[in-house]
Amino acid sequence: MPQVSRCYNLPVICGVMVSNMEDPALLIQNIIMPLFAILTIMVFLWFYLVHSLYKLLSDNHQALYKEMGEPTLFLNNTPRSGIALMKFIFRKQYKARGDIKLEKLGAVMFALFITYIVLLAFAIVAILAITQNAKP
């Protein structure tokens, strides 16, 4: 039976054996910091995709764009337009428009959002595990 780490009670985090990394600083340096770098890149990618979606909607689907409140990435970004965007993505309304570019963009945004949430949850759990089980 594989030996579970005495310090963290986690056998593997991101493929790294925790038992080989008794120092929380090493675990943070080798796993958590790269994970947060990836999450940061994903945020900027999300901004780019939202901008692309709004541009595509304003050019090719004016009625839907106006229904969403003619949002932009920063200037006309209200809670109402943010909710409309998330409904559009999670209800997969992009599939009903018959626009292949819109379908691909919507599918990528959906996948990116789900991946981001999963990675963020993993990072939070890993940090909590490290801080709660760290040796004094």
Side-chain angles (χ1 to χ4, degrees):
M1 175 179 269
Q3 180 182 3
V4 176
S5 170
R6 298 172 309 238
C7 184
Y8 303 107
N9 293 326
L10 296 172
V12 176
I13 295 179
C14 289
V16 176
M17 290 301 295
V18 176
S19 61
N20 296 335
M21 303 181 74
E22 295 294 326
D23 184 11
L26 283 176
L27 196 58
I28 290 171
Q29 178 184 354
N30 291 326
I31 295 172
I32 304 301
M33 294 306 291
L35 185 56
F36 275 105
I38 291 168
L39 290 170
T40 301
I41 291 167
M42 289 175 76
V43 167
F44 288 109
L45 178 58
W46 177 259
F47 286 159
Y48 173 76
L49 293 174
V50 169
H51 173 73
S52 298
L53 177 69
Y54 288 156
K55 178 78 171 127
L56 184 64
L57 291 176
S58 69
D59 291 346
N60 300 335
H61 305 276
Q62 291 88 10
L64 175 61
Y65 185 66
K66 287 182 181 184
E67 182 183 315
M68 292 176 78
E70 299 184 76
T72 61
L73 188 57
F74 294 109
L75 297 178
N76 191 20
N77 191 351
T78 63
R80 180 184 168 274
S81 65
I83 291 169
L85 171 67
M86 298 315 289
K87 284 181 180 178
F88 180 76
I89 291 172
F90 279 97
R91 292 180 179 169
K92 298 186 179 184
Q93 295 173 350
Y94 49 84
K95 289 184 175 185
R97 299 288 166 182
D99 184 342
I100 294 191
K101 283 177 108 175
L102 185 60
E103 286 182 32
K104 287 181 181 179
L105 184 58
V108 167
M109 291 178 77
F110 180 80
L112 180 69
F113 188 83
I114 296 300
T115 304
Y116 183 87
I117 294 300
V118 168
L119 289 176
L120 182 62
F122 175 80
I124 291 169
V125 168
I127 289 171
L128 289 174
I130 291 167
T131 56
Q132 289 179 355
N133 295 314
K135 292 180 180 176

